[in-house]
Amino acid sequence: MEINDFFKSLSDPRRGQGQRYPFESMLWIIFLGISCGYIGYRSIHKFAKANEAYFTELFGLKHGVPSHVTLRQLLLALDKDLVKQRFNEWCSHQELSSLDWVSADGKSLKSTLSDYTESYQDFCSIVSIYVQKTGLTHSIADFRNKKISEAEIVRSLLPSLQDKGVILTLDALHTQKKQ
């Protein structure tokens, strides 16, 4: 399964009226921008603007590349749970072979921290299973630390690796004995 199949499996959340940019073209621009290290609406737009001639020709864009506001609105409108589910389905098609090195780790998302001075602070994190040889993610899950721990999320992702014969590396945090 190719990345374009993943994009086609997502539904366009925008109203039909007044769409200037094709949905899949915008997803490609966002994907390529992030892949090149441009994180955030403005920086993805900066990437798109720097490559405007290429994207305009490739996708047949009549109005140049989308603005950072248009990119932001699309990303906010997407059904995050559906994107995560379809992304995991797409990732699961990659072949894992015996003795592949696989890592599991979580990262907190910037600007999601609340109540930072309190003992009950909360933030959103992403946990991913990463295949070293291919450099691709095998699966992802998100969580809020106030509700569930990173170790529990890692344990929930491990069944997808069962009977694959992979070598799994984890942080000490993930190896705690389950209570």
Side-chain angles (χ1 to χ4, degrees):
M1 182 192 274
E2 296 181 10
I3 189 78
N4 207 36
D5 296 328
F6 163 63
F7 292 156
K8 287 179 182 178
S9 74
L10 300 174
S11 57
D12 190 344
R14 302 173 298 165
R15 295 181 307 138
Q17 181 183 5
Q19 291 181 5
R20 296 183 113 192
Y21 305 100
F23 179 62
E24 289 178 33
S25 301
M26 290 178 64
L27 291 177
W28 269 109
I29 290 170
I30 292 166
F31 172 77
L32 291 170
I34 292 171
S35 297
C36 292
Y38 294 86
I39 309 298
Y41 315 115
R42 290 181 189 274
S43 62
I44 293 171
H45 172 70
K46 187 176 181 180
F47 164 79
K49 202 69 173 159
N51 296 285
E52 185 168 20
Y54 175 73
F55 288 138
T56 301
E57 182 182 338
L58 179 66
F59 299 123
L61 302 175
K62 297 175 186 171
H63 307 285
V65 294
S67 69
H68 72 279
V69 174
T70 303
L71 295 170
R72 179 180 185 273
Q73 288 173 332
L74 175 66
L75 288 172
L76 289 174
L78 283 172
D79 179 352
K80 277 83 174 153
D81 291 330
L82 179 65
V83 171
K84 182 176 53 177
Q85 174 194 350
R86 298 284 165 79
F87 180 77
N88 283 335
E89 289 170 7
W90 175 72
C91 289
S92 69
H93 285 86
Q94 68 175 301
E95 292 293 321
L96 287 177
S97 58
S98 181
L99 302 180
D100 273 347
W101 284 74
V102 178
S103 303
D105 198 11
K107 298 292 179 209
S108 63
L109 299 178
K110 185 177 179 181
S111 302
T112 61
L113 178 63
S114 63
D115 303 313
Y116 64 93
T117 60
E118 306 297 329
S119 62
Y120 53 85
Q121 63 180 238
D122 189 26
F123 55 87
C124 188
S125 293
I126 296 286
V127 173
S128 62
I129 304 285
Y130 177 81
V131 182
Q132 300 289 330
K133 182 172 76 176
T134 62
L136 298 174
T137 300
H138 182 268
S139 56
I140 60 170
D142 64 329
F143 72 98
R144 297 205 69 89
N145 78 308
K146 199 172 191 177
K147 297 181 180 181
I148 193 168
S149 74
E150 183 177 320
E152 291 175 77
I153 296 296
V154 168
R155 281 194 293 273
S156 74
L157 292 174
L158 290 180
S160 67
L161 300 174
Q162 195 167 4
D163 300 328
K164 303 281 187 190
V166 297
I167 299 168
L168 181 64
T169 63
L170 301 168
D171 292 342
L173 167 73
H174 306 130
T175 60
Q176 298 171 356
K177 185 176 180 180
K178 189 175 178 183
Q179 300 290 332

PDB file of all heavy atoms in Angstrom, residues 135-166:
ATOM      1  N   GLY A 135      13.349   2.879   8.787  1.00  0.00           N
ATOM      2  CA  GLY A 135      13.176   4.272   9.177  1.00  0.00           C
ATOM      3  C   GLY A 135      11.716   4.693   9.192  1.00  0.00           C
ATOM      4  O   GLY A 135      11.410   5.874   9.176  1.00  0.00           O
ATOM      5  N   LEU A 136      10.811   3.704   9.217  1.00  0.00           N
ATOM      6  CA  LEU A 136       9.386   3.996   9.182  1.00  0.00           C
ATOM      7  C   LEU A 136       8.722   3.672  10.513  1.00  0.00           C
ATOM      8  O   LEU A 136       9.170   2.798  11.251  1.00  0.00           O
ATOM      9  CB  LEU A 136       8.703   3.181   8.079  1.00  0.00           C
ATOM     10  CG  LEU A 136       9.166   3.459   6.655  1.00  0.00           C
ATOM     11  CD1 LEU A 136       8.517   2.482   5.685  1.00  0.00           C
ATOM     12  CD2 LEU A 136       8.845   4.886   6.253  1.00  0.00           C
ATOM     13  N   THR A 137       7.643   4.364  10.773  1.00  0.00           N
ATOM     14  CA  THR A 137       6.841   4.097  11.957  1.00  0.00           C
ATOM     15  C   THR A 137       5.951   2.892  11.676  1.00  0.00           C
ATOM     16  O   THR A 137       5.373   2.776  10.600  1.00  0.00           O
ATOM     17  CB  THR A 137       5.977   5.329  12.295  1.00  0.00           C
ATOM     18  OG1 THR A 137       6.846   6.426  12.540  1.00  0.00           O
ATOM     19  CG2 THR A 137       5.109   5.086  13.501  1.00  0.00           C
ATOM     20  N   HIS A 138       5.835   2.001  12.660  1.00  0.00           N
ATOM     21  CA  HIS A 138       4.982   0.829  12.518  1.00  0.00           C
ATOM     22  C   HIS A 138       3.581   1.094  13.052  1.00  0.00           C
ATOM     23  O   HIS A 138       2.597   0.633  12.489  1.00  0.00           O
ATOM     24  CB  HIS A 138       5.603  -0.378  13.230  1.00  0.00           C
ATOM     25  CG  HIS A 138       4.822  -1.628  13.084  1.00  0.00           C
ATOM     26  ND1 HIS A 138       3.870  -2.001  13.996  1.00  0.00           N
ATOM     27  CD2 HIS A 138       4.814  -2.570  12.126  1.00  0.00           C
ATOM     28  CE1 HIS A 138       3.322  -3.138  13.613  1.00  0.00           C
ATOM     29  NE2 HIS A 138       3.883  -3.496  12.477  1.00  0.00           N
ATOM     30  N   SER A 139       3.470   1.845  14.137  1.00  0.00           N
ATOM     31  CA  SER A 139       2.166   2.212  14.684  1.00  0.00           C
ATOM     32  C   SER A 139       2.330   3.389  15.642  1.00  0.00           C
ATOM     33  O   SER A 139       3.420   3.628  16.160  1.00  0.00           O
ATOM     34  CB  SER A 139       1.510   1.032  15.394  1.00  0.00           C
ATOM     35  OG  SER A 139       2.352   0.534  16.406  1.00  0.00           O
ATOM     36  N   ILE A 140       1.226   4.099  15.854  1.00  0.00           N
ATOM     37  CA  ILE A 140       1.233   5.243  16.766  1.00  0.00           C
ATOM     38  C   ILE A 140      -0.012   5.211  17.639  1.00  0.00           C
ATOM     39  O   ILE A 140      -1.017   4.591  17.290  1.00  0.00           O
ATOM     40  CB  ILE A 140       1.284   6.596  16.021  1.00  0.00           C
ATOM     41  CG1 ILE A 140       0.072   6.767  15.096  1.00  0.00           C
ATOM     42  CG2 ILE A 140       2.578   6.784  15.285  1.00  0.00           C
ATOM     43  CD1 ILE A 140      -0.084   8.153  14.523  1.00  0.00           C
ATOM     44  N   ALA A 141       0.079   5.888  18.768  1.00  0.00           N
ATOM     45  CA  ALA A 141      -1.076   6.100  19.644  1.00  0.00           C
ATOM     46  C   ALA A 141      -0.839   7.396  20.405  1.00  0.00           C
ATOM     47  O   ALA A 141       0.299   7.764  20.679  1.00  0.00           O
ATOM     48  CB  ALA A 141      -1.242   4.938  20.611  1.00  0.00           C
ATOM     49  N   ASP A 142      -1.915   8.081  20.716  1.00  0.00           N
ATOM     50  CA  ASP A 142      -1.786   9.309  21.499  1.00  0.00           C
ATOM     51  C   ASP A 142      -2.458   9.117  22.848  1.00  0.00           C
ATOM     52  O   ASP A 142      -3.275   8.218  23.023  1.00  0.00           O
ATOM     53  CB  ASP A 142      -2.371  10.507  20.758  1.00  0.00           C
ATOM     54  CG  ASP A 142      -3.868  10.372  20.529  1.00  0.00           C
ATOM     55  OD1 ASP A 142      -4.345   9.238  20.375  1.00  0.00           O
ATOM     56  OD2 ASP A 142      -4.563  11.397  20.505  1.00  0.00           O
ATOM     57  N   PHE A 143      -2.074   9.938  23.813  1.00  0.00           N
ATOM     58  CA  PHE A 143      -2.682   9.862  25.134  1.00  0.00           C
ATOM     59  C   PHE A 143      -2.452  11.150  25.898  1.00  0.00           C
ATOM     60  O   PHE A 143      -1.577  11.937  25.556  1.00  0.00           O
ATOM     61  CB  PHE A 143      -2.134   8.666  25.917  1.00  0.00           C
ATOM     62  CG  PHE A 143      -0.710   8.827  26.390  1.00  0.00           C
ATOM     63  CD1 PHE A 143      -0.427   9.230  27.685  1.00  0.00           C
ATOM     64  CD2 PHE A 143       0.355   8.579  25.534  1.00  0.00           C
ATOM     65  CE1 PHE A 143       0.882   9.377  28.118  1.00  0.00           C
ATOM     66  CE2 PHE A 143       1.663   8.727  25.958  1.00  0.00           C
ATOM     67  CZ  PHE A 143       1.934   9.131  27.255  1.00  0.00           C
ATOM     68  N   ARG A 144      -3.248  11.347  26.920  1.00  0.00           N
ATOM     69  CA  ARG A 144      -3.067  12.451  27.862  1.00  0.00           C
ATOM     70  C   ARG A 144      -2.522  11.831  29.133  1.00  0.00           C
ATOM     71  O   ARG A 144      -3.092  10.881  29.656  1.00  0.00           O
ATOM     72  CB  ARG A 144      -4.367  13.180  28.113  1.00  0.00           C
ATOM     73  CG  ARG A 144      -4.895  13.826  26.828  1.00  0.00           C
ATOM     74  CD  ARG A 144      -5.772  15.001  27.102  1.00  0.00           C
ATOM     75  NE  ARG A 144      -5.091  16.143  27.641  1.00  0.00           N
ATOM     76  CZ  ARG A 144      -4.526  17.120  26.934  1.00  0.00           C
ATOM     77  NH1 ARG A 144      -4.531  17.073  25.632  1.00  0.00           N
ATOM     78  NH2 ARG A 144      -3.943  18.146  27.536  1.00  0.00           N
ATOM     79  N   ASN A 145      -1.431  12.364  29.649  1.00  0.00           N
ATOM     80  CA  ASN A 145      -0.754  11.731  30.779  1.00  0.00           C
ATOM     81  C   ASN A 145      -1.596  11.721  32.049  1.00  0.00           C
ATOM     82  O   ASN A 145      -1.359  10.927  32.940  1.00  0.00           O
ATOM     83  CB  ASN A 145       0.598  12.399  31.051  1.00  0.00           C
ATOM     84  CG  ASN A 145       0.462  13.704  31.779  1.00  0.00           C
ATOM     85  OD1 ASN A 145      -0.291  14.572  31.357  1.00  0.00           O
ATOM     86  ND2 ASN A 145       1.179  13.838  32.867  1.00  0.00           N
ATOM     87  N   LYS A 146      -2.592  12.581  32.120  1.00  0.00           N
ATOM     88  CA  LYS A 146      -3.449  12.633  33.303  1.00  0.00           C
ATOM     89  C   LYS A 146      -4.364  11.401  33.374  1.00  0.00           C
ATOM     90  O   LYS A 146      -4.798  11.011  34.444  1.00  0.00           O
ATOM     91  CB  LYS A 146      -4.287  13.905  33.249  1.00  0.00           C
ATOM     92  CG  LYS A 146      -4.878  14.332  34.546  1.00  0.00           C
ATOM     93  CD  LYS A 146      -5.504  15.699  34.381  1.00  0.00           C
ATOM     94  CE  LYS A 146      -5.875  16.284  35.722  1.00  0.00           C
ATOM     95  NZ  LYS A 146      -6.414  17.620  35.577  1.00  0.00           N
ATOM     96  N   LYS A 147      -4.643  10.797  32.234  1.00  0.00           N
ATOM     97  CA  LYS A 147      -5.598   9.697  32.169  1.00  0.00           C
ATOM     98  C   LYS A 147      -4.949   8.316  32.113  1.00  0.00           C
ATOM     99  O   LYS A 147      -5.515   7.347  32.581  1.00  0.00           O
ATOM    100  CB  LYS A 147      -6.506   9.875  30.949  1.00  0.00           C
ATOM    101  CG  LYS A 147      -7.350  11.120  31.026  1.00  0.00           C
ATOM    102  CD  LYS A 147      -8.249  11.243  29.824  1.00  0.00           C
ATOM    103  CE  LYS A 147      -9.090  12.513  29.945  1.00  0.00           C
ATOM    104  NZ  LYS A 147      -9.985  12.682  28.839  1.00  0.00           N
ATOM    105  N   ILE A 148      -3.782   8.215  31.478  1.00  0.00           N
ATOM    106  CA  ILE A 148      -3.140   6.910  31.252  1.00  0.00           C
ATOM    107  C   ILE A 148      -1.631   7.138  31.149  1.00  0.00           C
ATOM    108  O   ILE A 148      -1.181   8.233  30.830  1.00  0.00           O
ATOM    109  CB  ILE A 148      -3.714   6.230  29.980  1.00  0.00           C
ATOM    110  CG1 ILE A 148      -3.306   4.777  29.891  1.00  0.00           C
ATOM    111  CG2 ILE A 148      -3.337   7.010  28.742  1.00  0.00           C
ATOM    112  CD1 ILE A 148      -4.078   4.001  28.835  1.00  0.00           C
ATOM    113  N   SER A 149      -0.855   6.103  31.389  1.00  0.00           N
ATOM    114  CA  SER A 149       0.601   6.268  31.346  1.00  0.00           C
ATOM    115  C   SER A 149       1.163   5.830  29.993  1.00  0.00           C
ATOM    116  O   SER A 149       0.551   5.062  29.259  1.00  0.00           O
ATOM    117  CB  SER A 149       1.264   5.445  32.452  1.00  0.00           C
ATOM    118  OG  SER A 149       1.233   4.079  32.127  1.00  0.00           O
ATOM    119  N   GLU A 150       2.346   6.318  29.703  1.00  0.00           N
ATOM    120  CA  GLU A 150       3.038   5.943  28.466  1.00  0.00           C
ATOM    121  C   GLU A 150       3.300   4.445  28.421  1.00  0.00           C
ATOM    122  O   GLU A 150       3.169   3.807  27.370  1.00  0.00           O
ATOM    123  CB  GLU A 150       4.352   6.718  28.365  1.00  0.00           C
ATOM    124  CG  GLU A 150       5.121   6.481  27.102  1.00  0.00           C
ATOM    125  CD  GLU A 150       6.379   7.314  27.017  1.00  0.00           C
ATOM    126  OE1 GLU A 150       6.362   8.495  27.404  1.00  0.00           O
ATOM    127  OE2 GLU A 150       7.387   6.777  26.536  1.00  0.00           O
ATOM    128  N   ALA A 151       3.651   3.856  29.565  1.00  0.00           N
ATOM    129  CA  ALA A 151       3.928   2.412  29.619  1.00  0.00           C
ATOM    130  C   ALA A 151       2.697   1.599  29.210  1.00  0.00           C
ATOM    131  O   ALA A 151       2.815   0.590  28.504  1.00  0.00           O
ATOM    132  CB  ALA A 151       4.390   2.021  31.016  1.00  0.00           C
ATOM    133  N   GLU A 152       1.507   2.038  29.628  1.00  0.00           N
ATOM    134  CA  GLU A 152       0.278   1.328  29.258  1.00  0.00           C
ATOM    135  C   GLU A 152       0.026   1.415  27.757  1.00  0.00           C
ATOM    136  O   GLU A 152      -0.410   0.446  27.136  1.00  0.00           O
ATOM    137  CB  GLU A 152      -0.909   1.903  30.024  1.00  0.00           C
ATOM    138  CG  GLU A 152      -0.876   1.609  31.510  1.00  0.00           C
ATOM    139  CD  GLU A 152      -2.001   2.301  32.241  1.00  0.00           C
ATOM    140  OE1 GLU A 152      -3.152   1.799  32.154  1.00  0.00           O
ATOM    141  OE2 GLU A 152      -1.740   3.339  32.878  1.00  0.00           O
ATOM    142  N   ILE A 153       0.312   2.561  27.183  1.00  0.00           N
ATOM    143  CA  ILE A 153       0.125   2.736  25.735  1.00  0.00           C
ATOM    144  C   ILE A 153       1.092   1.837  24.971  1.00  0.00           C
ATOM    145  O   ILE A 153       0.712   1.178  23.997  1.00  0.00           O
ATOM    146  CB  ILE A 153       0.304   4.213  25.323  1.00  0.00           C
ATOM    147  CG1 ILE A 153      -0.769   5.082  25.963  1.00  0.00           C
ATOM    148  CG2 ILE A 153       0.301   4.373  23.820  1.00  0.00           C
ATOM    149  CD1 ILE A 153      -2.191   4.767  25.527  1.00  0.00           C
ATOM    150  N   VAL A 154       2.346   1.778  25.407  1.00  0.00           N
ATOM    151  CA  VAL A 154       3.330   0.908  24.746  1.00  0.00           C
ATOM    152  C   VAL A 154       2.851  -0.541  24.818  1.00  0.00           C
ATOM    153  O   VAL A 154       2.889  -1.262  23.821  1.00  0.00           O
ATOM    154  CB  VAL A 154       4.737   1.071  25.369  1.00  0.00           C
ATOM    155  CG1 VAL A 154       5.674  -0.018  24.891  1.00  0.00           C
ATOM    156  CG2 VAL A 154       5.301   2.436  25.035  1.00  0.00           C
ATOM    157  N   ARG A 155       2.378  -0.970  25.980  1.00  0.00           N
ATOM    158  CA  ARG A 155       1.872  -2.352  26.111  1.00  0.00           C
ATOM    159  C   ARG A 155       0.697  -2.606  25.170  1.00  0.00           C
ATOM    160  O   ARG A 155       0.556  -3.700  24.629  1.00  0.00           O
ATOM    161  CB  ARG A 155       1.465  -2.639  27.552  1.00  0.00           C
ATOM    162  CG  ARG A 155       2.646  -2.938  28.454  1.00  0.00           C
ATOM    163  CD  ARG A 155       2.218  -3.551  29.782  1.00  0.00           C
ATOM    164  NE  ARG A 155       1.454  -2.637  30.626  1.00  0.00           N
ATOM    165  CZ  ARG A 155       1.995  -1.780  31.489  1.00  0.00           C
ATOM    166  NH1 ARG A 155       3.313  -1.717  31.625  1.00  0.00           N
ATOM    167  NH2 ARG A 155       1.237  -0.989  32.211  1.00  0.00           N
ATOM    168  N   SER A 156      -0.137  -1.593  24.939  1.00  0.00           N
ATOM    169  CA  SER A 156      -1.277  -1.779  24.033  1.00  0.00           C
ATOM    170  C   SER A 156      -0.844  -1.893  22.574  1.00  0.00           C
ATOM    171  O   SER A 156      -1.561  -2.472  21.756  1.00  0.00           O
ATOM    172  CB  SER A 156      -2.286  -0.638  24.198  1.00  0.00           C
ATOM    173  OG  SER A 156      -1.810   0.554  23.612  1.00  0.00           O
ATOM    174  N   LEU A 157       0.330  -1.338  22.232  1.00  0.00           N
ATOM    175  CA  LEU A 157       0.823  -1.405  20.848  1.00  0.00           C
ATOM    176  C   LEU A 157       1.625  -2.676  20.562  1.00  0.00           C
ATOM    177  O   LEU A 157       1.803  -3.055  19.402  1.00  0.00           O
ATOM    178  CB  LEU A 157       1.691  -0.178  20.541  1.00  0.00           C
ATOM    179  CG  LEU A 157       0.980   1.171  20.480  1.00  0.00           C
ATOM    180  CD1 LEU A 157       1.999   2.291  20.304  1.00  0.00           C
ATOM    181  CD2 LEU A 157      -0.048   1.211  19.365  1.00  0.00           C
ATOM    182  N   LEU A 158       2.114  -3.332  21.599  1.00  0.00           N
ATOM    183  CA  LEU A 158       2.987  -4.492  21.407  1.00  0.00           C
ATOM    184  C   LEU A 158       2.329  -5.702  20.729  1.00  0.00           C
ATOM    185  O   LEU A 158       3.014  -6.429  20.015  1.00  0.00           O
ATOM    186  CB  LEU A 158       3.611  -4.909  22.739  1.00  0.00           C
ATOM    187  CG  LEU A 158       4.642  -3.928  23.297  1.00  0.00           C
ATOM    188  CD1 LEU A 158       5.199  -4.446  24.617  1.00  0.00           C
ATOM    189  CD2 LEU A 158       5.741  -3.650  22.307  1.00  0.00           C
ATOM    190  N   PRO A 159       1.037  -5.969  20.913  1.00  0.00           N
ATOM    191  CA  PRO A 159       0.457  -7.136  20.223  1.00  0.00           C
ATOM    192  C   PRO A 159       0.630  -7.130  18.708  1.00  0.00           C
ATOM    193  O   PRO A 159       0.680  -8.181  18.081  1.00  0.00           O
ATOM    194  CB  PRO A 159      -1.024  -7.080  20.620  1.00  0.00           C
ATOM    195  CG  PRO A 159      -1.020  -6.418  21.951  1.00  0.00           C
ATOM    196  CD  PRO A 159       0.079  -5.391  21.864  1.00  0.00           C
ATOM    197  N   SER A 160       0.767  -5.946  18.101  1.00  0.00           N
ATOM    198  CA  SER A 160       0.972  -5.897  16.647  1.00  0.00           C
ATOM    199  C   SER A 160       2.333  -6.458  16.246  1.00  0.00           C
ATOM    200  O   SER A 160       2.569  -6.746  15.073  1.00  0.00           O
ATOM    201  CB  SER A 160       0.834  -4.460  16.135  1.00  0.00           C
ATOM    202  OG  SER A 160       1.889  -3.652  16.620  1.00  0.00           O
ATOM    203  N   LEU A 161       3.237  -6.627  17.211  1.00  0.00           N
ATOM    204  CA  LEU A 161       4.571  -7.169  16.937  1.00  0.00           C
ATOM    205  C   LEU A 161       4.694  -8.643  17.307  1.00  0.00           C
ATOM    206  O   LEU A 161       5.733  -9.252  17.074  1.00  0.00           O
ATOM    207  CB  LEU A 161       5.623  -6.374  17.713  1.00  0.00           C
ATOM    208  CG  LEU A 161       5.711  -4.889  17.400  1.00  0.00           C
ATOM    209  CD1 LEU A 161       6.678  -4.201  18.345  1.00  0.00           C
ATOM    210  CD2 LEU A 161       6.114  -4.660  15.958  1.00  0.00           C
ATOM    211  N   GLN A 162       3.637  -9.187  17.902  1.00  0.00           N
ATOM    212  CA  GLN A 162       3.693 -10.563  18.381  1.00  0.00           C
ATOM    213  C   GLN A 162       3.955 -11.539  17.230  1.00  0.00           C
ATOM    214  O   GLN A 162       3.440 -11.393  16.139  1.00  0.00           O
ATOM    215  CB  GLN A 162       2.376 -10.926  19.063  1.00  0.00           C
ATOM    216  CG  GLN A 162       2.458 -12.168  19.886  1.00  0.00           C
ATOM    217  CD  GLN A 162       1.238 -12.298  20.784  1.00  0.00           C
ATOM    218  OE1 GLN A 162       0.319 -11.499  20.733  1.00  0.00           O
ATOM    219  NE2 GLN A 162       1.244 -13.323  21.596  1.00  0.00           N
ATOM    220  N   ASP A 163       4.802 -12.515  17.493  1.00  0.00           N
ATOM    221  CA  ASP A 163       5.168 -13.576  16.538  1.00  0.00           C
ATOM    222  C   ASP A 163       5.909 -13.053  15.312  1.00  0.00           C
ATOM    223  O   ASP A 163       5.947 -13.719  14.273  1.00  0.00           O
ATOM    224  CB  ASP A 163       3.925 -14.362  16.085  1.00  0.00           C
ATOM    225  CG  ASP A 163       3.210 -15.027  17.242  1.00  0.00           C
ATOM    226  OD1 ASP A 163       3.893 -15.419  18.212  1.00  0.00           O
ATOM    227  OD2 ASP A 163       1.974 -15.131  17.190  1.00  0.00           O
ATOM    228  N   LYS A 164       6.491 -11.873  15.383  1.00  0.00           N
ATOM    229  CA  LYS A 164       7.262 -11.329  14.264  1.00  0.00           C
ATOM    230  C   LYS A 164       8.753 -11.615  14.421  1.00  0.00           C
ATOM    231  O   LYS A 164       9.499 -11.480  13.467  1.00  0.00           O
ATOM    232  CB  LYS A 164       7.063  -9.811  14.147  1.00  0.00           C
ATOM    233  CG  LYS A 164       5.627  -9.378  13.991  1.00  0.00           C
ATOM    234  CD  LYS A 164       5.150  -9.562  12.587  1.00  0.00           C
ATOM    235  CE  LYS A 164       3.764  -8.934  12.485  1.00  0.00           C
ATOM    236  NZ  LYS A 164       3.093  -9.211  11.281  1.00  0.00           N
ATOM    237  N   GLY A 165       9.202 -11.951  15.636  1.00  0.00           N
ATOM    238  CA  GLY A 165      10.607 -12.247  15.865  1.00  0.00           C
ATOM    239  C   GLY A 165      11.500 -11.022  15.862  1.00  0.00           C
ATOM    240  O   GLY A 165      12.694 -11.116  15.590  1.00  0.00           O
ATOM    241  N   VAL A 166      10.937  -9.864  16.163  1.00  0.00           N
ATOM    242  CA  VAL A 166      11.711  -8.625  16.148  1.00  0.00           C
ATOM    243  C   VAL A 166      12.452  -8.446  17.466  1.00  0.00           C
ATOM    244  O   VAL A 166      12.110  -9.051  18.475  1.00  0.00           O
ATOM    245  CB  VAL A 166      10.808  -7.401  15.893  1.00  0.00           C
ATOM    246  CG1 VAL A 166      10.153  -7.490  14.537  1.00  0.00           C
ATOM    247  CG2 VAL A 166       9.780  -7.224  16.989  1.00  0.00           C
TER     248      VAL A 166
END
